[in-house]
Amino acid sequence: SRRLLSLFLGLFQGALLLFFALFVTYGEPSAQEKNASMVANKVYSTFPFFQDIQVMLVVGLGLLLTFLPLYGLSALTHNFLLLNFSMQWALVLQGLLHHFHHGQVQLDLHKLLISEFAAVTVLISVGAILGRTSPCQLLVMATCEIPIYLASEWVIINCLGVLDVGGTITIHVFSCYFGLGVSKALFRARQQPLHPKETPTPRSDLMSLVGMLILWVFWPSFVAVLCQPGDAQHRAILNTLLAMSAGAITTVVASSLLEGDGKLSPGHLQNGSLAGGVVIGAVADMAMPPVAALALGSLSALACILGFRFLTPLLERKLALLDQCGIHNLHGLPGTLGAAASAVAILVAPKDTSGSHFSQQALHQMGGLAVAVGVSLLGGLLTGATLQLPSLAQPPERLCFDDSLYFKIQDQAENPGPDNTTEEGALALKE
């Protein structure tokens, strides 16, 4: 089982090298872009956003997942590994499905960016089962999730014509319910007891809080990168900043009021402060007053905090649903709110023609939400059933949330403690 990960990745990278050698080339500039300055402007207008998104996913999201005190190395490394694996896998699938012409796939920065958005769904979904799964299980999950996401996104955007420039429906809602579906199928009906290594420490909470701050700073780039340059992109950046600022303030207020002694919960700050960025994606470039962005940011943060306080314990008791990182509170609830807000924004928009088109578009927005939830739940349940295969080496309960299962940690090798002996690890692996 310890060699399975390297075997899986080695075969994948070898197959990818062969695919690139045979079918992938760089795209030629179009007739309008023959001028070198026009090509440069197109690259330089996109690449800064692309870099911001890279920092968000590699550093910000990786650190956000380090709230588990003994699982920080694994959280950061597995996040980085899944990003690269999922991006390459999405690049192959999208090239074959949408960009395969005359036996070649022409690669450019925009296609790489779209593939990275597909990888984001995997990184979010993994949050539901973080710490209780092996790297091989996570890679198989990514292998299954990417094609399901691409099919869902094609139906939502191309067939229904849903407006969702920031991925509120296509990315956040989809990835949330896919992850919950995987969790439900993988752990079935048994409620998972609190693991002794699961409780955050002040240091792990601090690292996670730094990750939140990085995500908060760069989130406008994630929302605005696919907007039309000009007024739409400018409006998306402003709306995102307003929503996230209001969400941060509301998070502090709500957390302080919900805690009996008036103190702040680090978990609330790590998640509620980002809820505004999730909710605003579907309406970021729409013509709406700035107060709407502030209101949406506040409402999404409040929904996130109330979800952590009341809904997550309820789902654990009634449905035995494990949601390790609270992705339902950060992505599911604000994403649903954002989809509803997009329908409302379309209905109340100034109408130059008959209102029938606007009513139909509002219905399409809600239809896209239904497709995202339904497809992701079904796909997640099927994927979770696949992850139960014994060959995928799910870690035993005693060794969950522990870096020592996957990394050679020098301090433990030199000073083995009573809870980290080689004998105990061997016994747990044998079980």
Side-chain angles (χ1 to χ4, degrees):
S1 62
R2 291 186 178 276
R3 298 289 183 268
L4 187 60
L5 176 64
S6 56
L7 178 63
F8 187 104
L9 289 175
L11 290 174
F12 169 78
Q13 200 64 61
L16 198 79
L17 285 170
L18 182 61
F19 176 81
F20 267 63
L22 295 175
F23 303 112
V24 178
T25 184
Y26 288 116
E28 294 292 332
S30 63
Q32 297 89 346
E33 297 173 345
K34 291 294 184 181
N35 188 297
S37 63
M38 293 181 65
V39 177
N41 288 336
K42 185 176 180 180
V43 172
Y44 295 146
S45 64
T46 304
F47 190 62
F49 289 107
F50 184 83
Q51 281 184 308
D52 291 351
I53 295 169
Q54 289 281 84
V55 174
M56 284 180 65
L57 301 181
V58 175
V59 185
L61 184 57
L63 288 176
L64 186 69
L65 300 177
T66 59
F67 65 94
L68 298 168
L70 299 178
Y71 200 69
L73 276 174
S74 300
L76 275 168
T77 305
H78 295 165
N79 179 76
F80 183 57
L81 173 64
L82 283 171
L83 172 63
N84 286 279
F85 175 85
S86 302
M87 181 187 67
Q88 293 186 46
W89 178 225
L91 202 60
V92 170
L93 291 179
Q94 288 195 111
L96 291 174
L97 293 175
H98 304 303
H99 310 297
F100 197 74
H101 303 295
H102 307 295
Q104 293 288 325
V105 176
Q106 292 191 340
L107 185 64
D108 58 31
L109 185 58
H110 180 75
K111 294 183 179 68
L112 200 63
L113 177 64
I114 299 300
S115 299
E116 194 135 301
F117 276 168
V120 173
T121 61
V122 177
L123 304 185
I124 295 173
S125 298
V126 163
I129 54 176
L130 185 71
R132 294 183 184 270
T133 46
S134 69
C136 291
Q137 286 179 304
L138 298 181
L139 290 174
V140 171
M141 176 178 170
T143 304
C144 297
E145 183 171 2
I146 292 297
I148 298 173
Y149 162 76
L150 293 176
S152 169
E153 192 244 5
W154 184 82
V155 171
I156 293 171
I157 301 299
N158 294 90
C159 297
L160 294 178
V162 170
L163 303 176
D164 186 23
V165 70
T168 294
I169 300 170
T170 55
I171 294 177
H172 294 287
V173 171
F174 175 90
S175 56
C176 166
Y177 291 102
F178 189 95
L180 294 180
V182 170
S183 176
K184 183 61 181 175
L186 181 59
F187 301 110
R188 296 183 181 177
R190 65 182 188 274
Q191 189 170 353
Q192 298 293 325
L194 184 67
H195 198 281
K197 300 173 184 176
E198 194 175 347
T199 305
T201 63
R203 182 174 180 178
S204 65
D205 268 334
L206 178 62
M207 293 293 290
S208 184
L209 196 61
V210 171
M212 180 277 290
L213 295 174
I214 293 172
L215 287 167
W216 194 95
V217 169
F218 291 110
W219 203 291
S221 294
F222 183 86
V223 174
V225 63
L226 294 181
C227 291
Q228 288 295 327
D231 289 342
Q233 198 167 66
H234 185 217
R235 191 162 50 243
I237 293 172
L238 292 176
N239 284 333
T240 305
L241 287 170
L242 290 174
M244 298 197 71
S245 181
I249 297 295
T250 304
T251 297
V252 173
V253 174
S255 180
S256 178
L257 291 176
L258 286 174
E259 296 297 323
D261 52 4
K263 296 182 180 180
L264 301 177
S265 165
H268 291 168
L269 293 176
Q270 293 155 9
N271 293 274
S273 304
L274 300 174
V278 175
V279 75
I280 202 68
V283 296
D285 61 338
M286 293 184 183
M288 62 180 190
V291 67
L294 288 171
L296 283 174
S298 295
L299 286 173
S300 63
L302 184 61
C304 179
I305 302 306
L306 292 176
F308 272 104
R309 185 62 184 270
F310 301 109
L311 187 57
T312 295
L314 179 66
L315 293 176
E316 288 179 357
R317 289 196 309 270
K318 300 298 184 181
L319 301 179
L321 182 62
L322 174 69
D323 184 5
Q324 192 65 50
C325 295
I327 62 172
H328 187 237
N329 306 313
L330 176 55
H331 301 277
L333 296 179
T336 304
L337 177 62
S342 69
V344 173
I346 290 169
L347 288 174
V348 301
K351 301 175 179 60
D352 297 327
T353 59
S354 64
S356 59
H357 169 72
F358 292 87
S359 301
Q360 188 178 17
Q361 183 61 47
L363 288 175
H364 286 175
Q365 296 295 116
M366 301 312 295
L369 175 65
V371 169
V373 173
V375 172
S376 60
L377 271 177
L378 179 59
L381 289 170
L382 294 175
T383 302
T386 305
L387 298 188
Q388 295 177 12
L389 293 173
S391 59
L392 296 181
Q394 183 172 340
E397 182 67 19
R398 292 166 60 188
L399 293 182
C400 289
F401 309 110
D402 199 329
D403 287 330
S404 62
L405 186 58
Y406 307 110
F407 291 89
K408 181 178 288 186
I409 300 176
Q410 194 65 26
D411 290 344
Q412 291 183 358
E414 294 176 353
N415 303 302
D419 297 328
N420 289 294
T421 62
T422 305
E423 292 80 5
E424 184 188 60
L427 283 173
L429 285 173
K430 187 176 180 180
E431 292 173 3

